[in-house]
Amino acid sequence: MLVPRRLDDQTYAEIVEEAEARLPWLCPAWTDHNAHDPGITVLELMAWYKELQQYHMDQITPAIRRKLLELAGLCLRPERAAVCALSVPEGTPGRLAGERLSGPQNLPFELLEPIPRCRPRLKRVLAELDGERVDITGLCADGTSFQPFVFGGRESSLLLGLFVPAAETLRLWFQVEQPLGVARNPRDGATPPPRTLVWELLNGGEVQPLEDETWSLSWSGAVTLPLPRNWPAGEEGLCWVRLRQIQPGCEEQVRLSGVYTGRYWAAQQESRARRYGFTVLPAPNQQVLLVNAQARQAELAVFLRTPEGWEQTVGYRPQPVEEGLRLTVDAAGAAADGAENLLVAALDPLYTRELLFDGTGLPGQQVFLNLGGQTVLTQRLSLLCQTVGEDGTARPAVWRAVDDLSVCGPRDRVFCYDPQRETLTFGDGNHGAVPASGFGSILVMELILSQCGGGNIPGGAGLTFRDGTPAYNTAACGGRNRESTAEGRGRLLAQLGRTEKCLSAEDYAQCAKKTPGLRVAGAKALAGFDSRWRQSRRSASVTVTVLPAGEGRRPTADRRFLQAVERHLERCRTICIRTEVVPVRYAPFTLSVQLLSGADAEEEAIRRAVEEAFAPREEAIGAPVCRDECIALLQRCPGVLQVRRLELRGLDQNSYETAAGDLQVPPDVIGSLERMEIQLLRP
């Protein structure tokens, strides 16, 4: 282990004493070492300064701690705004993205996407069972949980009857109830969804979703379907969508608590400045569209990139339209290299003066934003500053935020933001460039504020638009404050306790449980175990047996589940080690007991307690069914006075009885209670 060196290792008196001890051989002619000597006074002054310097050298500042964390491969998580889904009443007008809402305690919210004026309406929800249809519209209306593909104990499909206006796409929102127990791992691009669903437009054929936020109804979100140009209505004058499940997978059954057509994303944030970038042709009368409600009332600053650089232009005409704000720009002198050559900064007119600053041209200039304690989303913070180029001409340029100026070069257009002091700090010409001097030479081009972690509010919090229109919101979640250095250090220590590469058998099991997109209830790695012969062999192989978080008495991994785990282990395994992933097997057995019980003993309660104890779990893989543990379990049941007799009997060749009366199973097998016989004797 590395031992940290202590730099502040001398006191003031020790420094003075050591320095005076060197004087006889450094300067033999200097014989008066008393305090009245001017040389001793200077020596004591230097000793004081040395003590001061070594104290500061021995301190680890927050900036150094951040750099040490970055060297260890960990970057602090930035702040993030909470998001929720909104639904508006039927008949209310459409909304543009950026429309503002007010929440509890005047928390500001903004729409992240537009709400169309003509929206589809869901009128009927049917469960189709073997050709018969059951109306379950009321279940969706009151939020009752139901299983659309196993309705009433039989396989079923879901039929949605809608009034659909003329549109190219159909957006449906599904509220999915998450099962208890193991959470689903975050998905990646390589793992397929846990189940296969088929979307069919009656009188329109099968379609593939353009976007599926639910990942085949694994969590709540929207599904966007393409619509044919002329989609004819069917029964009852409605357009019908059928949803079928052809491969259920081995994990949980889909459970819904609502299907909606009018839910849209919103975020707990307040935009004071927004940046829009476009690529236009170098010609006059070029039109661009700002699809945002705030752009209509905003003060605009338009910049055109010419071959020499960015230049502010006044040659534009704004025109409010239904879709937002249309700008007609004279871009005759724009650069024609195919890159972004038009920038529009839309500033909130209430804060325009607080977004424009004068440049001093001096190193290390600081600008105070005066945000009243609100948090800035630094990932969205950018400036447009007058910058002196290599030819000596000052032109506007985009500047970005960084965490530390000390690692930046003299021409890097960067700045630092201090959230405690709400200040922007620019470079000194050596570490970071210096903005040019001049009136209004620093423009905050994009600034979005949020309460971050304080914006996580419950559902139905009473959000309202500025015109008083109410909106129902789901729970706003995902908001978080910027990760502190101490929190990052704790996360790093937790990561050091885990591994992404497999060396030991426990590493293989842990990596299998982290397979992206799956709900893995348990995994056990068996070194040198051959699944074909069900025995241990001396070979460079590891067999991982996995237990999915499924439903039923004996959940078993299917081929899709096994292939996903195999792909993940292939990235983690040690070179020259062959890995194999197999599903867990079950060894059924019967339990016969004779109990001396009191009057409060209930046979059904005893049965439920035993069945719950033998539910499939990770600890049970390869573990024997112990007779003494069964006796102890029964003794803990209410009303059981004594266990008179207990017998365990295996029902197949996967288990055998030991001399102690236990049932021994192979290392990839779980003992599964098939039947239980209970005889209660009253005293």
Side-chain angles (χ1 to χ4, degrees):
M1 295 181 62
L2 296 177
V3 179
R5 180 183 176 184
R6 185 173 176 230
L7 301 178
D8 188 13
D9 56 351
Q10 284 183 307
T11 64
Y12 168 80
E14 292 173 344
I15 298 173
V16 172
E17 182 180 358
E18 181 180 354
E20 290 180 350
R22 295 185 181 184
L23 292 179
W25 60 271
L26 287 175
C27 185
W30 187 356
T31 58
D32 188 0
H33 298 164
N34 296 311
H36 65 268
D37 190 277
I40 297 300
T41 303
V42 174
L43 185 146
E44 291 175 345
L45 178 63
M46 293 297 103
W48 167 81
Y49 189 69
K50 180 179 184 297
E51 183 192 33
L52 182 67
Q53 289 292 93
Q54 69 184 19
Y55 169 78
H56 287 288
M57 291 173 59
D58 198 47
Q59 303 304 305
I60 299 180
T61 64
I64 295 177
R65 292 184 187 276
R66 288 196 300 270
K67 288 300 178 184
L68 292 175
L69 290 175
E70 291 177 6
L71 289 175
L74 184 137
C75 294
L76 298 179
R77 291 171 176 168
E79 58 281 320
R80 187 170 63 186
V83 295
C84 65
L86 292 180
S87 59
V88 296
E90 293 185 5
T92 56
R95 308 280 178 174
L96 291 174
E99 189 86 14
R100 291 180 175 175
L101 303 95
S102 179
Q105 299 179 356
N106 294 324
L107 278 178
F109 278 77
E110 291 180 358
L111 278 175
L112 296 180
E113 55 187 343
I115 300 178
R117 180 172 55 86
C118 297
R119 302 183 289 274
R121 289 178 293 166
L122 179 65
K123 305 299 292 185
R124 298 283 301 279
V125 181
L126 306 177
E128 195 171 39
L129 311 172
D130 301 328
E132 299 180 1
R133 295 181 177 180
V134 179
D135 193 334
I136 58 173
T137 308
L139 298 180
C140 297
D142 59 12
T144 303
S145 178
F146 66 95
Q147 292 180 315
F149 306 121
V150 189
F151 192 81
R154 294 183 293 169
E155 293 187 4
S156 60
S157 58
L158 195 64
L159 280 171
L160 307 176
L162 308 109
F163 284 132
V164 181
E168 297 181 355
T169 60
L170 172 64
R171 177 189 173 101
L172 299 171
W173 179 281
F174 293 88
Q175 191 68 28
V176 180
E177 294 294 315
Q178 293 298 321
L180 300 176
V182 181
R184 187 176 297 278
N185 295 324
R187 62 172 176 171
D188 62 358
T191 304
R195 59 190 63 87
T196 302
L197 304 179
V198 174
W199 299 85
E200 181 184 357
L201 305 179
L202 299 190
N203 301 326
E206 293 186 3
V207 294
Q208 292 292 331
L210 298 175
E211 184 180 10
D212 185 2
E213 298 175 356
T214 68
W215 207 49
S216 292
L217 302 186
S218 297
W219 42 69
S220 300
V223 178
T224 304
L225 303 175
L227 296 182
R229 184 176 299 273
N230 295 311
W231 184 20
E235 300 177 12
E236 306 178 26
L238 302 176
C239 297
W240 292 89
V241 177
R242 176 184 282 126
L243 177 58
R244 295 184 293 116
Q245 178 179 258
I246 59 175
Q247 291 183 357
C250 61
E251 298 171 73
E252 82 282 355
Q253 284 287 348
V254 175
R255 186 175 293 274
L256 301 178
S257 60
V259 183
Y260 310 94
T261 56
R263 288 199 170 181
Y264 305 90
W265 290 111
Q268 192 281 301
Q269 63 185 33
E270 177 187 359
S271 299
R272 295 193 177 179
R274 278 188 172 273
R275 171 189 183 276
Y276 303 89
F278 304 95
T279 301
V280 296
L281 298 176
N285 297 326
Q286 294 296 299
Q287 292 188 349
V288 295
L289 183 63
L290 278 60
V291 189
N292 192 279
Q294 300 176 26
R296 290 180 170 182
Q297 293 82 28
E299 294 191 15
L300 304 180
V302 182
F303 299 86
L304 198 67
R305 185 170 62 84
T306 65
E308 291 77 22
W310 290 101
E311 295 180 359
Q312 187 170 4
T313 179
V314 294
Y316 66 91
R317 298 191 308 275
Q319 180 185 2
V321 294
E322 184 179 356
E323 298 84 4
L325 183 69
R326 180 177 288 118
L327 287 183
T328 303
V329 184
D330 182 6
D337 52 7
E340 192 176 83
N341 56 10
L342 179 64
L343 277 181
V344 181
L347 312 179
D348 191 325
L350 297 177
Y351 303 99
T352 302
R353 293 186 177 181
E354 300 178 8
L355 300 173
L356 193 63
F357 304 93
D358 300 336
T360 62
L362 300 177
Q365 180 181 353
Q366 291 188 340
V367 170
F368 178 54
L369 292 183
N370 189 22
L371 303 177
Q374 298 188 74
T375 302
V376 175
L377 301 180
T378 53
Q379 300 295 312
R380 304 283 299 275
L381 178 61
S382 62
L383 307 178
L384 196 71
C385 304
Q386 291 288 340
T387 308
V388 178
E390 296 182 1
D391 58 354
T393 304
R395 293 188 179 90
V398 179
W399 290 49
R400 59 185 177 87
V402 296
D403 292 331
D404 189 4
L405 291 171
S406 63
V407 297
C408 300
R411 294 189 179 275
D412 291 341
R413 299 160 183 172
V414 294
F415 61 92
C416 279
Y417 175 68
D418 186 346
Q420 280 73 35
R421 296 188 297 164
E422 298 180 359
T423 57
L424 305 175
T425 303
F426 296 92
D428 57 3
N430 292 321
H431 303 286
V434 178
S437 61
F439 174 76
S441 63
I442 300 174
L443 172 67
V444 180
M445 188 170 50
E446 188 163 24
L447 176 63
I448 300 178
L449 310 179
S450 176
Q451 294 293 336
C452 299
N456 297 319
I457 62 175
L463 299 184
T464 56
F465 287 95
R466 292 294 178 88
D467 58 5
T469 303
Y472 174 81
N473 68 285
T474 62
C477 58
R480 69 176 182 222
N481 299 325
R482 185 177 181 84
E483 189 176 31
S484 65
T485 306
E487 293 171 341
R489 183 174 57 183
R491 185 159 60 91
L492 176 62
L493 293 176
Q495 289 182 2
L496 293 177
R498 301 189 296 265
T499 179
E500 297 298 330
K501 295 298 181 181
C502 300
L503 298 176
S504 65
E506 181 63 22
D507 293 340
Y508 282 92
Q510 293 299 324
C511 286
K513 289 192 289 186
K514 297 176 186 175
T515 303
L518 300 185
R519 296 181 63 232
V520 186
K524 184 177 181 180
L526 307 171
F529 182 80
D530 194 326
S531 63
R532 295 169 297 176
W533 303 100
R534 304 297 175 187
Q535 60 182 0
S536 298
R537 307 183 69 180
R538 300 185 65 182
S539 60
S541 65
V542 175
T543 299
V544 180
T545 178
V546 291
L547 173 66
E551 299 177 355
R553 297 175 57 190
R554 298 169 185 172
T556 303
D558 59 4
R559 190 58 196 157
R560 181 188 316 201
F561 192 96
L562 298 176
Q563 288 176 347
V565 179
E566 287 175 352
R567 279 193 299 269
H568 183 61
L569 290 181
E570 183 64 24
R571 300 193 294 263
C572 304
R573 69 177 179 87
T574 307
I575 297 177
C576 300
I577 298 296
R578 183 177 65 87
T579 59
E580 182 183 11
V581 182
V582 297
V584 68
R585 297 186 299 147
Y586 295 93
F589 68 92
T590 62
L591 176 63
S592 177
V593 295
Q594 187 181 76
L595 305 175
L596 182 64
S597 61
D600 57 341
E602 296 182 3
E603 181 177 339
E604 188 61 29
I606 297 173
R607 191 181 302 276
R608 285 197 304 269
V610 175
E611 290 177 352
E612 182 179 350
F614 285 106
R617 62 189 189 280
E618 183 180 37
E619 296 80 7
I621 302 177
V625 182
C626 298
R627 183 174 182 275
D628 291 342
E629 292 181 2
C630 294
I631 293 175
L633 171 64
L634 292 168
Q635 290 283 181
R636 291 195 298 269
C637 294
V640 176
L641 304 178
Q642 183 183 9
V643 179
R644 290 286 183 86
R645 177 179 57 83
L646 187 145
E647 293 181 2
L648 296 171
R649 186 177 299 108
L651 300 180
D652 61 9
Q653 297 180 352
N654 287 328
S655 61
Y656 63 90
E657 186 176 355
T658 65
D662 302 336
L663 284 182
Q664 185 65 48
V665 298
D668 62 334
V669 172
I670 293 178
S672 176
L673 181 62
E674 178 72 19
R675 187 174 66 254
M676 182 176 181
E677 299 174 357
I678 303 176
Q679 182 181 3
L680 298 180
L681 303 178
R682 304 296 180 181

